[in-house]
Amino acid sequence: MVQSTSSSVAPGTDWRTRVGPSPLLAEALDALAARAVDEAACRDLLELLADLGCDAPTLAAAAWFELARLDPAAWERRAPQLPEDLRRLVEGQLAAEKVWALHAQRGPGGGSEGLRRLLLAIIRDLRVVFVLLARQLARMRAATALPEAERQALARLTRDIHAPLANRLGIWQLKWELEDLAFRYLQPETYKRIAKLLDERRADREAFIRESLDELGRALAAAGITAELAGRPKHIYSIWKKMQRKELEFSELYDIRAVRVLVDSVADCYAALGVVHALWPHLPREFDDYLARPKGNGYRSLHTAVIGPRGKTLEVQIRTHEMHRANELGVAAHWRYKEGGGADAEFEAKIAWMRQLLDTRGGDEGALAAELRTELIEDRVYLLTPKGEVFDLPHGATVLDFAYHVHTEVGHRCRGAKVNGRIVPLTFQPASGDRVEILTAKLAEPSRDWLSPHHGYLSTGRAREKVRAWFRRSAQEANLAAGRAIFERELRRLALPEADLARLPSHFHLKNHDELLVALALGEVTPGQIARVLQEAAQPLPEVTQSSAPVASRHSALDQGALSIEGVGNLLTSLARCCQPLPGDAVRGYITKGRGVSVHRADCASLARLAAREPDRVIEVNWGRAAAQAYEVDIELRGYERKGLQKDVASVVSNANVGIIASSSRLFTRTGEVEMRFTLRVRDFEQLSTLLDRLVALPNIVDARRVGGA
């Protein structure tokens, strides 16, 4: 059976019937009516949303947004009593207003792709996009009543944001009309010329289409194929684009005359294609199989061009009814918000697509597919410059990362930042939609602290490399001096004896100690890594020759096997409280009376005094399974008192997974200085080094170091 219709979309029933009763929608409409809002414009918007298959909460949110815009105070009073779902939909529309304002600020064509990405980043509910597209179409339909300047601005916004978004979502039902209306207002003379050419040949074209439909209908019926046939409307903007792209005159376009065939299955699509090609000669280069290879936005159909009745070219599109519905409505065709509804794989794929970056490669389908597979929108943040430019960075990027992303020189000269007008530290991580202003100095002077991962200034490798490059260009002597200062500071902080620096470079695949110092200065090697290597490559024990005083009575117990003792079997071992050795320290043992072996740092003064008195009790020990347990260590912090300082210190220690055994503090009221001591349980040098880095980065902390009884 073959059905012929003059329109591809049947007229729908009243939107109230399709959506059903909604008290919240009715309340919003009553409030709008009381404020003399244009009823026709509101009805047009709601009918468009109903045509897209949107649910009652979506329509209610569209109406409540109009109220929020007209009477913000009324919205603020009512919003807390409304369902969270509805509030989220309204807030999404309010957030989109920021994008429209930015578009107006940037001017014609300014940063449209970045703004489209920003829009999707700040909207968290898919339904908001349908409302935005439908509202824009309703506004465009009524734009003839606007002043010329407003009409032009509205058309540019439609061309730059809404029409491309509708295209990428595959919502052709809105896309074609948005494009045509924007084209009509932006290029009225060209629009009128093409419209006139279409009108002049309308009668002849319609007669040709009727003849073609009758002939094709008989052929399909004879082949036993059930199909619905219709003439396909050709849109003015698409005609103009094809004329521009292929450099053709209007008379040279073959697809001004077009028909559409809707069948029940994919098999019927190919069977109908065979009937079309058997009925009329086809143009081989004008065949596209979007069933086997759908477009990037999900469009599926067979397209062919033939020499039809009277020897005139004719375009034929063949697809299933379901494909046609999906092609016309895109994501909206698979709209499901019913409780307990079954999963719709295609709909879920569309949602996943929508949450990903929009194509910025000029329609390159292959690049689009690759990008969508690898770069989720939740992994990026979209930030604005004071001029409204949009930059995207990885999630977790700081304002300093943003400065380097804007320009290398801006990063080098960065001395502070404002986010939405508020001064923030350089470690602050802005969110999508934030406006970031970088405060700069006249001279470029990056800080070496920016390279430390523990300080949190930079999270992107690109920014770190730019800082390293700046320091590489500095004098070699300056890098050597800075690296040596960092290394010596690390030895002092960890209370380590003098280390043989020449033994360390091979661990980092460097030629000599100068290269290691430069790498340390540039942040390519961290102090924590140095601490770990010192732990792994501890030096042989020096001879002890110093003299006299008793060892401290408190000891830290060790698991069996944490140390190996030369010349004897397994003995009870404990860490001496006086010097608190850590794995990697050069150590020696002292055999106590009844408490096994007390392990001291080799340079411990108490051990030297004991050894001078009873040298036979001093034995050789080495670290064994040291990494398998934790060790007590004392650290000292110095700084200036402020509210919440001890709480911040405790938070940093806790976040580093280090246990606090004991703590004490001392305040010097005359100077405001504070001294804090903590007894901690740490795993090794590297963990201690990282912790000291984080502590000294706290505001008001001047110094953080390990202390012992050496």
Side-chain angles (χ1 to χ4, degrees):
M1 184 177 83
V2 176
Q3 299 175 346
S4 294
T5 63
S6 59
S7 173
S8 61
V9 180
T13 55
D14 182 80
W15 63 268
R16 294 178 182 82
T17 305
R18 283 175 282 166
V19 173
S22 171
L24 287 174
L25 175 56
E27 179 186 347
L29 292 176
D30 289 343
L32 291 172
R35 289 165 175 79
V37 173
D38 183 0
E39 183 181 347
C42 190
R43 184 175 61 250
D44 193 20
L45 169 61
L46 297 177
E47 286 176 351
L48 284 168
L49 290 172
D51 287 343
L52 288 172
C54 293
D55 54 10
T58 306
L59 273 70
W64 278 104
F65 168 77
E66 298 295 342
L67 180 64
R69 191 169 53 173
L70 289 172
D71 192 344
W75 165 252
E76 292 296 330
R77 288 194 302 271
R78 185 69 176 92
Q81 288 82 43
L82 295 174
E84 181 183 353
D85 185 46
L86 191 146
R87 291 201 308 272
R88 187 171 63 247
L89 288 167
V90 175
E91 288 163 1
Q93 296 172 75
L94 291 169
E97 293 293 303
K98 299 178 184 178
V99 178
W100 312 155
L102 285 168
H103 183 270
Q105 177 183 337
R106 296 298 306 280
S112 301
E113 289 162 355
L115 292 177
R116 289 200 296 272
R117 291 199 229 167
L118 174 63
L119 176 65
L120 292 190
I122 63 178
I123 288 175
R124 296 303 178 203
D125 194 310
L126 177 66
R127 293 171 289 179
V128 172
V129 178
F130 301 147
V131 179
L132 299 179
L133 295 176
R135 176 176 288 111
Q136 192 72 2
L137 180 52
R139 288 174 177 172
M140 289 295 290
R141 287 174 175 177
T144 52
L146 296 175
E148 178 64 21
E150 291 184 30
R151 187 163 59 242
Q152 289 279 317
L154 190 66
R156 283 193 296 269
L157 180 62
T158 302
R159 177 197 62 192
D160 295 342
I161 305 294
H162 296 82
L165 186 56
N167 178 50
R168 282 294 168 191
L169 292 176
I171 309 178
W172 269 265
Q173 180 174 324
L174 303 184
K175 181 251 190 187
W176 295 123
E177 193 172 355
L178 287 168
E179 286 181 339
D180 274 6
L181 288 173
F183 184 51
R184 174 185 176 184
Y185 297 135
L186 293 174
Q187 300 188 48
E189 295 303 320
T190 306
Y191 179 91
K192 290 176 183 177
R193 180 171 63 85
I194 297 175
K196 184 178 179 181
L197 289 170
L198 284 171
D199 286 341
E200 287 175 351
R201 304 181 184 183
R202 184 184 302 277
D204 179 64
R205 188 170 64 253
E206 289 178 352
F208 174 80
I209 291 296
R210 283 195 299 272
E211 183 180 343
S212 301
L213 290 175
D214 290 343
E215 191 171 337
L216 180 56
R218 289 192 294 270
L220 290 170
I225 299 173
T226 300
E228 178 182 331
L229 306 182
R232 185 177 69 85
K234 194 64 180 177
H235 298 276
I236 293 175
Y237 181 71
S238 66
I239 292 173
W240 177 78
K241 273 207 311 183
K242 181 166 285 190
M243 291 170 62
Q244 297 297 308
R245 187 174 66 251
K246 296 192 174 184
E247 298 182 350
L248 299 174
E249 293 297 326
F250 181 84
S251 59
E252 299 175 280
L253 297 177
Y254 68 85
D255 58 349
I256 297 300
R257 298 171 292 271
V259 298
R260 181 174 291 140
V261 180
L262 303 182
V263 294
D264 295 330
S265 67
V266 172
D268 286 344
C269 288
Y270 288 105
L273 178 66
V275 170
V276 171
H277 286 176
L279 181 63
W280 298 308
H282 72 282
L283 304 176
R285 288 181 297 178
E286 301 295 342
F287 172 70
D288 292 297
D289 187 348
Y290 296 122
L291 300 189
R293 298 181 302 278
K295 290 186 178 182
N297 51 23
Y299 178 87
R300 301 183 69 203
S301 185
L302 293 175
H303 290 193
T304 188
V306 298
I307 307 298
R310 310 181 203 170
K312 295 181 179 181
T313 56
L314 174 70
E315 184 188 58
V316 182
Q317 294 182 355
I318 306 170
R319 62 184 69 150
T320 67
H321 294 277
E322 182 60 28
M323 288 174 194
H324 178 62
R325 183 166 173 265
N327 290 344
E328 289 298 301
L329 299 181
V331 173
H334 299 275
W335 191 240
R336 298 289 184 273
Y337 267 89
K338 295 181 180 178
E339 296 269 346
D344 185 330
E346 187 173 350
F347 175 60
E348 295 301 325
K350 291 279 191 176
I351 291 180
W353 177 88
M354 185 177 172
R355 288 177 173 268
Q356 295 165 336
L357 293 174
L358 291 177
D359 180 32
T360 61
R361 294 174 172 80
D364 183 346
E365 300 292 350
L368 171 68
E371 184 169 281
L372 297 187
R373 282 194 298 268
T374 60
E375 201 164 358
L376 294 177
I377 199 162
E378 284 84 352
D379 292 338
R380 314 289 293 179
V381 290
Y382 296 84
L383 308 175
L384 305 168
T385 68
K387 294 182 178 179
E389 296 174 283
V390 181
F391 290 93
D392 61 292
L393 286 88
H395 182 73
T398 65
V399 290
L400 186 56
D401 283 306
F402 176 81
Y404 275 104
H405 193 81
V406 170
H407 195 279
T408 301
E409 198 62 24
V410 174
H412 289 340
R413 296 193 292 116
C414 178
R415 289 298 172 268
K418 290 183 179 180
V419 173
N420 301 326
R422 179 173 60 90
I423 292 179
V424 298
L426 294 182
T427 54
F428 184 81
Q429 298 178 3
S432 287
D434 284 347
R435 190 183 293 260
V436 182
E437 179 184 355
I438 300 300
L439 308 176
T440 58
K442 291 183 178 180
L443 298 177
E445 194 176 354
S447 167
R448 292 189 189 274
D449 286 342
W450 294 356
L451 294 170
S452 171
H454 308 308
H455 291 163
Y457 286 106
L458 297 171
S459 70
T460 63
R462 174 184 175 185
R464 280 199 203 95
E465 187 53 39
K466 288 181 177 181
V467 178
R468 290 190 188 111
W470 191 90
F471 283 111
R472 284 193 192 100
R473 290 193 298 270
S474 302
Q476 179 75 355
E477 290 75 13
N479 284 326
L480 282 171
R484 188 173 292 108
I486 294 171
F487 180 78
E488 291 173 354
R489 181 194 67 190
E490 189 68 8
L491 294 182
R492 288 195 305 272
R493 287 197 320 177
L494 298 177
L496 290 170
E498 288 297 324
D500 182 5
L501 183 58
R503 298 188 59 173
L504 298 178
S506 60
H507 288 272
F508 300 99
H509 307 289
L510 298 171
K511 295 178 181 178
N512 52 52
H513 67 281
D514 282 357
E515 284 193 6
L516 177 62
L517 292 177
V518 170
L520 193 57
L522 296 177
E524 294 169 349
V525 174
T526 67
Q529 291 173 314
I530 293 289
R532 176 173 51 80
V533 175
L534 288 173
Q535 174 181 325
E536 294 172 352
Q539 297 298 306
L541 304 177
E543 293 295 325
V544 177
T545 57
Q546 301 175 358
S547 63
S548 112
V551 67
S553 60
R554 189 173 160 209
H555 288 64
S556 297
L558 288 174
D559 290 343
Q560 185 179 7
L563 291 126
S564 60
I565 303 174
E566 293 187 6
V568 297
N570 290 332
L571 292 176
L572 175 65
T573 56
S574 61
L575 298 180
R577 178 62 184 161
C578 56
C579 57
Q580 295 178 316
L582 283 176
D585 282 333
V587 289
R588 302 193 83 176
Y590 180 80
I591 302 175
T592 67
K593 295 179 179 179
R595 296 194 305 273
V597 176
S598 175
V599 179
H600 296 252
R601 282 164 45 190
D603 60 349
C604 176
S606 296
L607 176 64
R609 290 188 287 271
L610 290 170
R613 191 166 58 239
E614 297 180 279
D616 292 342
R617 289 180 177 271
V618 177
I619 60 174
E620 303 294 335
V621 295
N622 293 300
W623 294 103
R625 299 195 311 269
Q629 68 175 71
Y631 303 88
E632 288 185 16
V633 61
D634 285 338
I635 66 168
E636 179 182 271
L637 307 182
R638 291 188 299 106
Y640 293 92
E641 174 63 7
R642 65 171 172 83
K643 184 178 180 180
L645 180 60
Q646 293 200 29
K647 178 183 176 183
D648 290 346
V649 170
S651 177
V652 168
V653 174
S654 176
N655 291 337
N657 292 320
V658 172
I660 299 178
I661 297 173
S663 66
S664 64
S665 64
R666 182 181 179 189
L667 176 63
F668 301 90
T669 53
R670 186 173 63 84
T671 62
E673 293 178 278
V674 64
E675 180 182 283
M676 290 181 278
R677 285 210 174 199
F678 292 86
T679 301
L680 307 175
R681 188 168 288 275
V682 299
R683 184 178 62 250
D684 53 26
F685 276 169
E686 186 171 13
Q687 186 182 36
L688 178 59
S689 174
T690 299
L691 175 63
L692 293 175
D693 260 342
R694 292 174 178 172
L695 289 171
V696 82
L698 287 172
N700 285 38
I701 293 296
V702 175
D703 188 32
R705 64 176 62 201
R706 174 191 178 196
V707 294

